[in-house]
Amino acid sequence: MSAGFSPERILIEAGAEDLPMTRRILARLPGVPVETLRALGPWIRQTARDADAARAAKNWLVISRYPGTFLKKCPGTQGFVCCNYWVINAATGCPLDCTYCILQGYLENNPMIRVFANTDTLFSELERAFAAARGRRFRVGTGELTDSLALDGLTDLSRELVPFFARHTNAQLELKTKTDQVGNLLDLAHQGRTVIGWSVNPPPVIASDEQGTAPLARRLRAAERCQSAGYPVSFHFDPMVLEHGWEGAYREVVRQIFETVPATSIAWISLGGLRFAPELKPIMRRRFPESRLVCGELVPCPDRKLRYLRTLRVPAYRRMLRWIRALGPQVPVYLCMESRDVWEAVYQGPPSELQNLEGLFG
Ligand code: SF4
């Protein structure tokens, strides 16, 4: 399959030179200049001097050993309903370039696209964590600080992760992407324990605010291929952009999803309105002056993030829920990063079942 991302330069941190993933990446990028270095700091400072540092940082690929713990509980947000998600941070940074991406705000400390090649440490850590809590069900994702599949054509990480999760009955993996790079997945023995997920938006939003990503039709085609290979699939309407005419555009995406894959193959769908930290606003304005997203009427919420008014969000979620339920009554639908009172207003039910979302995911 095509490697997808092709950096201008590869930087290898000392200690990661001889790891199998490092050798694999180098074999796939012949001719790309490679440097081995002791410290990344000077390179980060050099990148930060670029007028568009966030863009410049996407030209380089750093290969490192991760010194810390790979598996972490998703931090969630205080006062917001938590969906009990765990995250594996096997890479940070992303070759795609969405206007609203939170990673743009991390430039000071962590601007580069960086993969952690010590997968032996990752898998022994996961093995220990899953064995130590057999009664617990781990829902795990890899897309907190990157896109789960945008680097997979270089790293082949999915080819190790998917069979690993197939062997662990108390864990479920979700690979969430805005690409159509699923070639690595189709022949794997997954046992239904990996869900392949797509963030989706109407085509005009993708065209204006999700640069470098696959158009909607290609994402849906990729979902169809994964579903045909037996994978459960998921869809994330996140971030929803509630601009004039959003109803028709989002309803059409819902229709296309259910036309493409059977409802019984959809593991879950999430809804989340556009939100970002106030610090991101000037960065978005500077980097994407044409984007309409910064012009939306967003207000500060208790977690400091800017969101659409609750009076806009709640009816929008309720409509989406109605459209989804009409085509897939059994498909679990959850809200991402929303408060308990928003959940109650949308679902019009008691909050007890929201305390622990495990039930929602079956
Ligand atoms: S795909 Fe995700 S990680 Fe990549 S640029 Fe877009 S929002 Fe950021």
Side-chain angles (χ1 to χ4, degrees), residues 58 93-103 143-147 150 177-178 209-211 213:
K58 291 178 188 288
C94 178
L96 315 178
D97 205 2
C98 303
T99 58
Y100 50 78
C101 180
I102 56 163
L103 301 180
E144 191 201 12
L145 299 174
T146 188
D147 178 285
T177 189
K178 292 190 182 100
D209 289 280
E210 298 181 352
Q211 295 180 11
T213 66

Side-chain angles (χ1 to χ4, degrees), residues 16 19-22 25 63-66 70 90 115-120:
L19 296 169
M21 183 188 283
T22 307
I25 293 172
I63 307 175
S64 305
R65 268 181 184 277
Y66 191 58
F70 279 97
V115 296
F116 300 109
N118 49 327
T119 51
D120 50 342

